[in-house]
């Protein structure tokens, strides 16, 4: 007893030691492996883009430091040099209890590749926090780490805890306020285990399906449409090795999370941790850039707000949430509205109005300029009379006098907009030409041309710029420099979804109407479904009287249907018999059936066709059947290799006569005779069948009796033959 | 309360053969020596729901049931008996009697429900939410007795395990999804549309639909008129109403006369509930404001109806008598753990032995047994966890365990009856051994025969 106790205490201290030994580590992916921020990200990595004038990665690192993380591995891929240079020159390289190590890669094209590389480096020694460098949060990690560790102790398969947060997507646009697609999650309310994760990528219209085993295992499941994935994961070491084992895992959610949920062989489990009062969000697209910027300005992310992050007294908060750097030159008549940030050294002219915007450092803004809900980065020159609404303007842009940016415009680095030129809504303008081989966002994300090689490509493009510019200059008006990127086919309609501009009203009205129509269809589909459900229930009664309605039976049902479809196609399209044989054989292999089953199914299809083709009397039906049998006998014969298969055909026929095609009941002996005549059935098979049936119940012998004569005749013929021998 | 109650009593159910017959239709099957229908009627009476239509399948059965009701509940309930053809389904039955329905709300109860859930509470929930339909849900009963002597049907019940897949809102007041029948064995398909409106849905597989529904009459009649293929309330009508709850104009648009019903059905208050739900979480509230005030262009206002759920507490008793196994279970439970259901009758709660039992010497009747009036038991018998009806004659050295013996049964000396049902007027001669059998009314089992898991009945003439 005493010894046992000792052992227990020893283990506790061991645990504590273990905790003490392993500093909390984090992996920060400084590459989102996506293209949502193009064209800007062709020139600068996403994590270095300013968010209220401070690079995104600073928010992430500051939070990690405050949350007690001691060691951060920053994985850089695209523009890795810029990231490394920035980190080396920043405060993060010289923190006492917080080490930032960079891991550089040039050929990783996904988060999966990144984690595989980190696994190879063997730097992670315990549980770690996995985030990307574009995460803004102020949550405390203590609770979630504790939960994760507790669970791990009980169940070694609980390898990951995802942080989620309440956020109801709009039912109309079906996206969250961060511009991310709606997400459906099924969570066990007691254990918080994640059971199902469905985002738009596998959009099944109108319905979510939950696997029946999930329902069997969990008496209560909560389906959420009101939660947002914060992309903050607490992982155990196994996660890295899992990525290595499954070399095809690329995307953290789409492949890894779903892979684990679907694959129950290893039994790994993912759990969720919901945060309520703290902030956590990831910048995924321009809309979330806009939303999160506003959240920061409105101090939801406190203490990670511009005035505190900057440290010194460089920026001060004023009334109405206006942040102003100390040395801003502001005209008396300029009006700075609420929730606006103005960076250092910026000059603003007369009668200029700025509201709900961020203006970076060293900008020069002329007179009579209107800036609303826009993000203007550093060293931008905006001449007199320009108007900007809901636009993103990168470093070094020059807007000549009177230029107008309509909502949703993105001006990449050093673009020049000509005088009086109006840049149409949702345009993306860059000095670089649009990469040509893009076809869709989805494919691009993992295409080789992204991130890794992005830099090389842009270098090449840079070289090409000079000659091209002259001819395209007019794209941005007189004196303008830059290309307006064309929107790819199909994405045009979707552009507003992820833009910095608010969703236009007419879109919402349209969506609402579309949705109503959709629903109309859905309700109808629902009705159709239920109708067919009834039908099916009816046919089930016919088909499966035996109680052991197990899987193989179901499989056979599907198989039979497939064969029937194949056969009908062969009939209607005059497919050659040989081809039909091949097709049926392929089906046989894919359903793992024997050729006995094929014979049964083909015969069933033939007879069904005969019944279904128009006929008025039994004799016509007989003729139909005879025609079909004659025509397709070769198909049937190619699956009748031995006597058992032939008997199966007779049994099948008997079953049909009893159940689905009672009309044949009267014709049973004739058809049997026909099959014999056509040499589809040998007399041995028929006699064996008759023998087998001899011992059966009275009710089972109906057909045996009706064909007694024929069998008698066969027997006699056989005897005669024997006699002759 | 302006509630009309429809009791779907059933008829000669095939599931229950050989227990039921023309003389003894399903509503009159004895549960602890009282017809099963009396349990429902008693609950209704206690909830002060006294305006009843009892629907019986088949004219003959209707006569028998009617005679019994008028004999028992006269002056206590206002009952109409309606006979409907057999095999038209529950929805068909309602359709057949729909011209009798006049009240604003209709409570439909299955006559084979043995439950202590007050129907009044279901009706009140229905009224409170002004719902189109309210379904009573109860926990899935833990099937199977502790003893070994139960019939083979039990394994099957265990294999099924789930009866419904039910989706509820976080407040557990609204029914958002229901899957019945064959759907349960497939992967569940849940409508995103409703999920989007509500945000969160709890999927429960440990609840089942207990065949007690409150309908708004207009909604019910409209669905029945519109969907003439609907056969079953449970499998067609209820899922349809649940499915279309956010989109009920689809229902009223298709028939011209549906229009005025539609307005009744859709309360503006309800409309607002959903709009405010949307509003509370919207990213652009300005738009929703406008659209709710002034629907743009031809966009119709969103018509919705509510589907509510009344969830019986897990301690309440609620079982449908729809199989022989259920019949056995209910008899056992009502005499045993759920004996509060019998509180209406006057008898000793522990050992419900009738007023004039005649027990032989050294005969023991264990707890949770019931012995009807006028029955006699010989010497050295054992009765355990069984129900014995009226005027039975049981010989000596007889063992009756986990069984149900109905009225006027004669059991010879030395019989052993385990886990079986013996119907009225059966004669068991000496030394018969029955295990997990059902013996139909009037059957004679010859001396010394032994049966196991068989169903014995007289041949129909």
């Amino acid at each position: 007893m005493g010894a046992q106790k000792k052992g227990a205490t020893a283990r506790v201290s061991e645990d504590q030691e273990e905790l003490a030994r392993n500093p909390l580590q984090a992996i920060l992916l400084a590459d989102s492996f996506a293209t949502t921020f193009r064209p800007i990200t062709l020139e600068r990595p996403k994590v270095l883009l300013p968010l209220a004038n401070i690079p995104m990665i600073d928010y992430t690192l500051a939070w990690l430091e405050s949350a007690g993380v001691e060691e951060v591995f920053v994985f850089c891929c695209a523009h890795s040099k810029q990231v490394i240079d920035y980190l080396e020159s920043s405060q993060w390289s010289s923190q006492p209890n917080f080490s930032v190590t960079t891991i550089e890669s040039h050929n990783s094209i996904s988060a999966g590749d990144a984690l595989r590389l980190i696994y190879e480096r063997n730097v992670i020694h315990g549980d770690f926090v996995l985030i990307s460098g574009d995460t803004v949060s102020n949550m405390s990690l203590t609770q979630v780490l504790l939960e994760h560790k507790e669970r791990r102790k009980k169940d070694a398969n609980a390898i990951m805890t995802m942080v989620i947060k309440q956020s109801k997507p709009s039912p109309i646009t079906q996206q969250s306020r961060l511009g991310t697609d709606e997400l459906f999650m099924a969570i066990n309310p007691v254990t918080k285990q994640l059971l199902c994760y469905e985002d738009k990528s596998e959009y099944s219209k109108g319905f979510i399906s939950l696997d029946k085993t999930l329902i069997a295992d969990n008496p209560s499941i909560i389906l959420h449409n009101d939660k947002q994935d914060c992309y903050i994961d607490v992982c155990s070491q196994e996660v890295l090795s899992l990525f290595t084992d499954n070399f095809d895992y690329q995307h953290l959610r789409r492949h890894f999370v779903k892979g684990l949920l679907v694959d129950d062989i290893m039994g790994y489990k993912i759990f969720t941790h919901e945060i309520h009062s703290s902030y956590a969000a990831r910048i995924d697209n321009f809309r979330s850039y806009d939303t999160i910027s506003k959240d920061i300005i409105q101090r939801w992310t406190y203490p990670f707000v511009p005035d505190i992050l900057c440290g010194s007294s460089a920026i001060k908060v004023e009334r109405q949430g206006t942040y102003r750097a100390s040395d801003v030159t502001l005209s008396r008549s300029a009006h700075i509205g609420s929730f606006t940030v103005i960076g250092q050294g910026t000059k603003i002219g007369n009668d200029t109005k700025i509201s709900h915007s961020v203006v970076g450092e060293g900008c020069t803004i002329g007179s009579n300029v209107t800036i609303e809900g826009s993000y203007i980065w550093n060293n931008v020159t905006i001449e007199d009379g320009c108007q900007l609404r809901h636009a993103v303007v990168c470093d070094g842009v020059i807007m000549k006098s009177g230029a107008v940016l309509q909502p949703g415009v993105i001006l990449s680095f050093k673009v020049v907009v000509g005088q009086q030129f109006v840049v149409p809504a949702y345009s993306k303008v860059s000095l670089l030409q649009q990469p040509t081989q893009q076809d869709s966002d989805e494919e691009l994300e993992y295409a080789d041309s992204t991130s890794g090689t992005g830099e090389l490509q842009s270098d090449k493009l840079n070289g090409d710029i000079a000659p091209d510019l002259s001819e395209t200059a007019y794209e941005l008006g007189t004196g303008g420099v830059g290309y307006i990127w064309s929107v790819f086919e199909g994405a045009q309609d979707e552009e507003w979804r992820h833009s910095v501009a608010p969703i236009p009203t007419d879109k919402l009205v349209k969506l609402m109407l579309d949705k109503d129509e959709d629903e109309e269809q859905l309700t109808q589909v629902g009705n159709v479904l239920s109708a067919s459900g009834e039908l099916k229930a009816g046919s089930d009664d016919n088909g499966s009287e035996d109680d052991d309605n197990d899987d193989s039976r179901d499989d056979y049902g599907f198989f039979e249907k497939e064969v029937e479809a194949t056969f009908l196609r062969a009939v209607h399209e005059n497919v050659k018999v040989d081809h039909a044989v091949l097709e049926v054989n392929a089906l046989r292999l894919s359903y793992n059936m024997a050729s006995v089953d094929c014979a049964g199914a083909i015969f069933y299809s033939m007879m069904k066709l005969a019944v279904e083709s128009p006929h008025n009397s039994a004799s016509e039906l007989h003729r139909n059947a005879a025609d079909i049998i004659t025509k397709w006998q070769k198909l049937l014969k190619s699956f009748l290799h031995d006597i058992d298969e032939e008997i199966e055909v007779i049994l099948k026929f008997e079953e049909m006569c009893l159940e689905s095609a009672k009309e044949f009941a009267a014709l049973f002996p004739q058809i049997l005779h026909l099959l014999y005549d056509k040499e589809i059935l040998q007399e041995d098979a028929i006699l064996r069948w008759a023998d087998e049936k001899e011992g059966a119940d009275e009710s089972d012998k109906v057909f045996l009796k009706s064909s007694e004569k024929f069998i008698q005749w066969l027997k006699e013929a056989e005897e005669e033959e024997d006699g002759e021998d | 309360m302006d509630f009309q109650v429809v009791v779907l009593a059933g008829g000669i159910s095939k599931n229950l053969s050989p227990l039921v017959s023309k003389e003894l239709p399903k509503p009159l099957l004895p549960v602890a020596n009282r017809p099963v229908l009396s349990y429902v009627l008693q609950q209704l009476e206690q909830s002060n729901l006294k305006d009843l239509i009892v629907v019986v399948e088949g004219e003959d059965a209707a006569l028998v049931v009617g005679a019994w009701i008028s004999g028992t509940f006269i002056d206590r309930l206002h009952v109409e008996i309606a006979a409907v053809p057999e095999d038209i389904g529950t929805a068909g039955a309602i359709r057949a009697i729909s011209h009798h329905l006049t009240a604003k709300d209709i409570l439909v109860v299955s006559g084979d429900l043995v439950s202590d859930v007050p129907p009044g509470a279901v009706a009140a929930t229905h009224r409170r939410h002004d719902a189109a339909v309210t379904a009573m849900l109860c926990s899935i009963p833990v099937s199977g007795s502790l003893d070994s002597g139960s019939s083979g049907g039990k394994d099957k019940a265990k294999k099924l395990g789930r009866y419904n897949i039910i989706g509820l809102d976080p407040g557990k007041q609204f029914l958002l999804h229901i899957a019945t029948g064959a759907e349960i064995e497939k992967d569940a398909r849940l409508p995103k549309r409703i999920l989007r409106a509500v945000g969160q849905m709890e999927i429960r597989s440990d609840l089942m639909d207990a065949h007690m529904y409150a309908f708004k009459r207009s909604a019910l009649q409209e669905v029945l008129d519109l969907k003439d293929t609907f056969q079953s309330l449970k499998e067609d009508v209820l899922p349809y109403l649940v499915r279309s709850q956010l989109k009920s104009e689809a229902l009223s648009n298709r028939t011209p006369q549906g229009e005025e019903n539609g307005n009744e059905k859709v309360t503006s208050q309800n409309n607002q509930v959903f709009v405010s739900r949307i509003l509370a979480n919207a990213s652009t509230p300005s738009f929703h404001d406008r659209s709710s005030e002034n629907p743009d262009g031809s966009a119709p206002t969103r018509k919705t109806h509510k589907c509510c759920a009344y969830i019986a507490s897990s301690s309440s008793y609620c079982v449908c008598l729809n199989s022989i196994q259920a019949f056995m279970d209910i008899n056992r439970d009502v005499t045993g753990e759920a004996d509060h259901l019998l509180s209406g009758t006057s008898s000793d709660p522990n050992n419900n032995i009738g007023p004039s039992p005649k027990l032989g010497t050294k005969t023991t009747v264990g707890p949770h047994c019931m012995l009807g009036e006028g029955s006699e038991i010989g010497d050295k018998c054992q009765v355990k966890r069984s129900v014995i009806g009226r005027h039975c004659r049981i010989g000596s050295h007889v063992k009756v365990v986990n069984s149900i013996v109905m009225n006027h049964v004669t059991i010879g000396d030395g019989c052993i009856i385990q886990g079986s049902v013996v119907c009225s007027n059966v004669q068991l001669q000496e030394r018969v051994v029955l295990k997990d059998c059902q013996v139909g009314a009037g059957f004679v089992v010859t001396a010394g025969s032994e049966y196991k898991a068989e169903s014995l009945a007289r041949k129909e003439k």
Side-chain angles (χ1 to χ4, degrees), chain A residues 168 170-172 174 177 182 184 198 203-204 206-212 215-216 218-227 505 508-509 512-513 515-516 519-520 522-524 526-527 529-530 534 536 547, chain B residues 156 162 165 184-193 195-206 227 229-230 236 240 243-244 246-247 250 254 278 281 283-284 287-288 290-291 296 298-300 302:
Chain A
K168 175 102 172 58
S170 153
I172 297 167
Q174 294 166 12
R177 60 192 287 274
E182 62 175 352
F184 292 96
E198 189 185 317
Y203 185 68
S204 57
F207 291 95
I208 288 194
S209 51
L210 279 186
D211 196 84
K212 58 185 173 197
I215 294 169
N218 303 279
S220 170
I221 298 172
I222 298 200
L223 256 182
H224 290 282
N225 175 234
D226 55 351
K227 297 283 183 269
T505 323
L508 284 181
V509 173
M512 196 108 143
L513 293 178
K515 199 169 144 252
D516 278 354
E519 280 176 12
E520 191 99 28
L522 272 180
T523 343
Q524 280 164 5
N527 292 344
L529 275 180
S530 82
E534 278 162 39
K536 215 185 276 166
D547 272 327
Chain B
K156 211 172 159 189
R162 296 190 304 276
I165 295 168
I184 296 164
E185 293 303 315
K186 294 181 205 146
D187 293 354
R189 275 158 50 85
L190 302 146
K192 288 184 176 171
R193 169 174 40 112
L195 191 53
R196 276 184 198 120
V198 187
Q200 172 172 334
M201 185 196 285
E202 185 178 358
I203 310 294
R204 298 280 293 265
S205 51
D206 55 350
K227 307 278 173 187
T229 52
F230 281 6
D236 301 322
Y240 173 76
R243 208 165 48 223
S244 62
L246 286 184
K247 187 67 186 170
R254 275 177 215 155
I278 294 165
N281 302 296
S283 50
T284 51
F287 170 71
H288 295 286
R290 223 167 332 121
S291 77
D296 225 288
S298 62
R302 216 159 243 288

Side-chain angles (χ1 to χ4, degrees), chain A residues 504-684:
Chain A
T505 323
D506 55 321
K507 288 280 182 206
L508 284 181
V509 173
K510 191 164 162 280
L511 267 183
M512 196 108 143
L513 293 178
D514 285 357
K515 199 169 144 252
D516 278 354
E517 269 165 38
D518 271 8
E519 280 176 12
E520 191 99 28
Q521 279 172 353
L522 272 180
T523 343
Q524 280 164 5
V525 167
N527 292 344
V528 170
L529 275 180
S530 82
S532 70
E534 278 162 39
L535 287 177
K536 215 185 276 166
S539 63
D540 269 356
D541 288 347
N542 291 337
S544 56
E545 276 169 4
D546 37 1
D547 272 327
D548 54 334
N549 209 343
D550 48 26
D551 280 354
S552 67
R553 175 94 207 167
D554 281 357
D555 267 2
Y556 182 70
F558 287 127
F559 171 71
E560 199 173 74
K561 274 190 198 123
E562 289 273 353
V563 169
E564 194 187 334
T566 310
F567 177 71
L568 288 180
R569 201 168 52 241
V571 170
H572 295 306
E573 294 171 13
N574 271 326
V575 177
K576 275 193 192 147
V577 173
D578 293 348
H579 293 182
V581 170
L582 279 178
E583 278 188 52
V584 174
N585 251 326
L587 282 173
R588 175 174 70 87
L589 292 175
S590 70
Y591 280 86
N592 199 13
M593 293 288 169
S595 61
V596 176
D597 301 310
C598 295
I602 293 171
F603 185 72
Y604 172 78
S605 322
M606 287 163 77
M607 286 311 174
K608 204 167 164 202
L609 179 67
V611 171
E612 278 164 7
S613 40
H615 56 267
N616 293 324
S617 63
S619 61
E620 265 181 68
L621 178 63
H622 181 233
R623 203 173 324 126
N624 278 346
D627 287 350
I628 291 167
I629 290 172
T630 321
K631 186 159 179 213
W632 295 98
Q633 53 175 310
K634 200 172 159 215
L635 176 64
L636 189 55
K637 272 186 200 159
S638 42
F639 292 96
L640 295 173
H641 304 302
D642 63 35
I643 213 156
D644 285 336
E645 285 152 10
E646 290 172 25
I647 293 174
E648 169 69 20
V649 168
I650 308 180
L651 291 175
K652 187 90 206 167
F653 186 42
E654 216 180 353
E655 191 186 310
M656 282 186 79
C657 293
L658 277 172
E659 285 155 12
S660 46
K662 296 205 170 80
E663 291 167 83
F664 273 123
L667 292 173
F668 188 88
Q670 282 99 310
I671 304 254
L672 202 62
H673 198 164
L674 180 74
L675 291 171
Y676 173 75
D677 281 351
K678 295 283 172 203
E679 289 175 0
I680 291 167
L681 300 178
Q682 301 170 34
E683 58 183 52
D684 279 357

Side-chain angles (χ1 to χ4, degrees), chain B residues 129-133 174-176 194 216 219 222-223 237-252 262 264-267 270-271 274 302-308:
Chain B
H129 293 290
D130 193 30
V133 60
F174 298 104
L175 189 58
L176 304 175
I194 291 175
K216 192 172 282 189
E222 200 180 324
V223 172
V237 177
L238 180 66
Y240 173 76
L241 281 171
V242 170
R243 208 165 48 223
S244 62
Q245 57 184 309
L246 286 184
K247 187 67 186 170
S248 54
E249 79 260 30
L251 204 116
S252 48
E264 242 174 73
K265 225 167 74 173
V266 179
T267 59
N270 188 10
N271 222 335
F274 277 102
R302 216 159 243 288
K303 286 186 179 177
T304 56
H305 59 247
K306 288 187 193 176
C307 297
C308 290

Side-chain angles (χ1 to χ4, degrees), chain B residues 200-219:
Chain B
Q200 172 172 334
M201 185 196 285
E202 185 178 358
I203 310 294
R204 298 280 293 265
S205 51
D206 55 350
L207 291 176
M208 67 170 205
D209 173 357
H211 304 248
M212 189 192 285
Y213 317 98
F215 285 100
K216 192 172 282 189
R217 179 178 56 85
S218 52

Side-chain angles (χ1 to χ4, degrees), chain B residues 316-355:
Chain B
S316 57
Y317 188 78
C318 188
V319 185
C320 280
L321 201 169
N322 48 15
S323 66
I324 289 170
Q325 180 60 36
F327 176 69
M328 308 267 309
D329 288 347
I330 291 172
N331 265 296
R332 189 191 61 237
D333 293 341
V334 168
T335 49
E337 57 205 66
D339 54 4
H340 57 280
L341 284 165
L342 287 172
S343 56
T345 58
S346 57
S347 56
D348 177 9
N350 285 326
N351 215 345
N352 302 290
I353 297 174

Side-chain angles (χ1 to χ4, degrees), chain B residues 5-9 15 26 40 44 90 94 107-115 117 119 122 133-138 141 163-164 166 178 180-181 207-215 232-235 238 310 318-323:
Chain B
V5 182
V6 177
V7 179
L8 298 173
N15 287 347
K26 180 174 158 186
V40 169
L44 289 169
T90 44
I94 301 278
L107 186 72
V108 181
V109 190
S110 172
D112 58 8
L113 188 67
V114 178
S115 160
V117 179
V122 179
V133 60
T134 302
M136 199 256 271
L137 306 175
C138 64
Y163 297 85
N164 288 113
I166 284 162
I178 186 160
T180 56
L207 291 176
M208 67 170 205
D209 173 357
H211 304 248
M212 189 192 285
Y213 317 98
F215 285 100
S232 156
L233 289 180
K234 181 186 161 75
E235 285 178 15
L238 180 66
Y310 175 87
C318 188
V319 185
C320 280
L321 201 169
N322 48 15
S323 66

